[in-house]
Amino acid sequence: MGLRVALVTPFAWSRPHDVNEHVAGLATELRKLGHEVTVLATDAFSKNGRMKANGGFDGLDVHYLPNVSNRLAWRHQLFLPLGTWSFLESHRSDFDIIHIHMYRTFQNIVAGQHSAKYGIPYVFSAHGSVPRIVRVKHAKALFDGFY
C-alpha cells in the first residue's frame, strides 16, 4: 500500500496556474505509483468566481475551502480560507505526509503548525515565492518577520 498524501495549495483546483500545473502533475504521478492523494485547495477560482463542489477529480479527493475574500486573494495574494485547521484536524489520521505548496499563505501556516503538532511529516515547495521581488514587498517582509 502506498502513502496517503495531502497536497495543500492556495489556488482552486482546475484553475490554470503554474502551481496547479505542478500539483496536478505531481498528484497524477503519485496516483500512478499507488499513493492515495487528497488535494486541499481554496475556492478562489478567479477574481469573481468560486469553485462550487468538493469531490473527486481524475481519481483524486479534492476539497475546496471558502476564502474570506476573492478580491484579497487575487489582488494581493492574500488567501484566507476558512476551515483549514478543522479539515486537517478531522482528517489527521488520514495522511502520512502533507505537501504544502507556496509560501506566505495563512493556509500553509496552519498546515505546517498542524503537521508539527501531530508529528506528520511535511514537504514544502515554495514555487519561487520566497524572494521578495514581485508585488507587495513590504507585506512579504512583515509576514517573514512575524512568521
Side-chain angles (χ1 to χ4, degrees):
M1 182 176 167
L3 291 173
R4 297 166 303 157
V5 181
L7 302 178
V8 180
T9 177
F11 297 97
W13 191 255
S14 298
R15 179 190 178 274
H17 186 278
D18 291 344
V19 173
N20 272 357
E21 290 174 18
H22 172 85
V23 173
L26 179 61
T28 300
E29 292 304 314
L30 286 170
R31 257 194 64 237
K32 285 179 185 176
L33 293 170
H35 302 295
E36 184 179 317
V37 180
T38 299
V39 177
L40 181 60
T42 72
D43 68 347
F45 182 74
S46 66
K47 183 176 162 186
N48 299 314
R50 293 179 181 258
M51 295 300 289
K52 301 289 184 214
N54 293 325
F57 177 80
D58 195 25
L60 305 169
D61 188 19
V62 182
H63 298 269
Y64 301 106
L65 298 177
N67 264 309
V68 169
S69 168
N70 269 13
R71 183 179 194 143
L72 289 174
W74 292 108
R75 280 200 159 170
H76 305 289
Q77 295 292 299
L78 186 55
F79 292 87
L80 299 169
L82 301 172
T84 302
W85 184 269
S86 61
F87 177 88
L88 291 170
E89 183 71 20
S90 65
H91 292 87
R92 77 172 179 240
S93 62
D94 295 348
F95 306 125
D96 298 314
I97 191 165
I98 297 175
H99 190 160
I100 299 170
H101 295 268
M102 294 295 290
Y103 183 52
R104 296 186 189 96
T105 71
F106 173 76
Q107 181 183 30
N108 293 347
I109 292 167
V110 171
Q113 289 175 344
H114 186 273
S115 295
K117 180 178 180 178
Y118 293 107
I120 302 168
Y122 70 92
V123 176
F124 168 69
S125 295
H127 299 283
S129 63
V130 174
R132 294 183 214 141
I133 57 175
V134 181
R135 295 196 274 175
V136 293
K137 293 178 188 177
H138 294 356
K140 290 177 180 180
L142 182 65
F143 181 97
D144 292 348
F146 190 71
Y147 290 103

